[in-house]
């Protein structure tokens, strides 16, 4: 797309955001790519760990079969995340929240970088890798407060075994978070989809619901996705470069 149109689109969208009553943003691994967080599907490959595709190791079935291995996988993920800081894309979204009457940020990411950038009330559709949840009483604790040598960690409320507080494949999303996300998506007049391959459901259904409810749908992604043809505007670029240009 010629540069002129691109900048016209960007300034047009900036005006639309400035005038928006309600904005809904859905993010995926791509928004954290410039922070050094590996994506799951880059260049057509699916992330594999110890020979297992991530959909296998990150599955409810694996928690039942080998909880220790699931902890090893998330200990590895946290090891990578420990060196990652929010990038300009996270920072822009945190700023937008302070300038809009109704702004909702829903993420598929479990890295906690949106909150670290200052975003409040982030809807963590797939949970958070820094939290553990008790299999018996459901008590939640910050993994950084637990003895890293004890795996699986033990619940300080009831002594039960704990699991990563993330939504694994085959598991339902947290009801309250999902209902709020679906409501806000359907009420948005502008919906941005940033850095997601839009393959994993039901999260990928949110922008579709927003569009069906009348939202102006925008995709920010260097690559096309199954959502692209459904969008009113696609901005082909890196989130850390495109979002700051949309600051209003
Ligand atoms: C469920 C936490 C109900 C754990 C995750 C309907 C159709 C088909 C399948 C299903 C369906 N409904 C349900 C399913 C099954 C399944 C599913 O969707 N499977 C897929 C693989 C087809 N869904 C589920 O299992 C869900 N639960 O349905 O429960 C139920 C329950 C019981 C019984 C019956 C039904 C639960 C799904 C949640 C799983 N947990 N994460 C963990 O992190 O390990 S999913 C995980 O993978 C992420 O959270 C995220 O959702 C997904 C990865 O996608 P992305 O984030 O988009 O990342 P990806 O790498 O794929 O893409 C990155 C994109 O960024 C690319 O497009 C790239 O071009 C772009 N990019 C790169 N750099 C940049 C960039 N963009 C901008 N800037 C850059 N710099
Ligand atoms: Zn407990």
């Amino acid at each position: 797309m010629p540069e002129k149109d691109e900048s016209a689109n960007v300034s047009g969208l900036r005006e639309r955001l400035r005038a928006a009553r309600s904005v809904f943003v859905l993010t995926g691994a791509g928004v954290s790519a410039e922070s050094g967080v590996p994506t799951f599907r880059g260049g057509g490959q699916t992330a594999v760990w110890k020979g297992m595709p991530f959909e296998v190791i990150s599955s409810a079935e694996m928690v039942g079969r080998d909880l220790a291995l699931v902890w090893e996988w998330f200990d590895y993920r946290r090891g990578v995340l420990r060196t990652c800081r929010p990038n300009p894309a996270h920072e822009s979204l945190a700023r937008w929240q302070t300038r809009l009457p109704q702004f909702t940020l829903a993420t598929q990411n479990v890295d906690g970088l949106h909150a670290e950038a200052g975003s409040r009330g982030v809807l963590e559709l797939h949970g958070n890798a820094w939290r553990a949840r008790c299999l018996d009483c459901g008590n939640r604790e910050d993994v950084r407060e637990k003895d890293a040598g004890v795996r699986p960690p033990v619940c300080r409320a009831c002594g039960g075994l704990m699991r990563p507080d993330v939504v694994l494949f085959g598991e339902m999303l947290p009801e309250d978070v999902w209902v709020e996300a679906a409501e806000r998506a359907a009420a948005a007049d502008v919906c941005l989809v940033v850095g997601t391959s839009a393959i994993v459901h039901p999260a990928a259904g949110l922008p579709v619901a927003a569009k069906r409810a009348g939202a102006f749908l925008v995709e920010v992604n260097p690559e096309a996705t199954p959502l692209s043809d459904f969008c009113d505007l696609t901005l082909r670029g890196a989130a850390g470069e495109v979002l700051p240009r949309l600051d209003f």
Side-chain angles (χ1 to χ4, degrees), residues 83-141:
T83 62
C84 301
R85 299 280 67 78
N87 67 61
H90 298 107
E91 286 146 11
S92 278
L93 293 169
R95 272 195 300 275
W96 297 2
Q97 181 170 31
T98 63
R99 298 179 186 158
L100 285 164
Q102 178 74 271
F103 178 84
T104 304
L105 177 54
T107 188
Q108 299 166 81
N109 302 343
V110 296
D111 57 30
L113 291 178
H114 283 302
E116 192 179 324
S119 288
R120 295 179 318 291
V122 179
L123 299 178
E124 296 181 315
L125 299 170
H126 296 162
N128 188 307
W130 295 104
R131 273 196 317 264
R133 186 173 83 239
C134 177
L135 289 165
D136 298 347
C137 73
N139 167 45
R140 288 183 166 85
E141 295 177 38

Side-chain angles (χ1 to χ4, degrees), residues 28-31 33-34 39-42 54-55 58 73-74 77 108-110 126 166-173 194-202 220-223 225 237-240:
V31 81
E34 293 149 90
T39 60
F40 295 85
R41 283 183 192 76
F54 89 92
E55 281 115 340
S58 276
W73 160 232
F74 281 95
R77 303 264 298 274
Q108 299 166 81
N109 302 343
V110 296
H126 296 162
V166 297
V167 177
L168 299 170
F169 284 95
E171 293 182 332
M172 300 298 266
L173 278 55
V194 183
T196 184
S197 57
I199 289 172
V200 170
H201 288 264
V220 178
N221 193 318
E223 293 174 13
T225 74

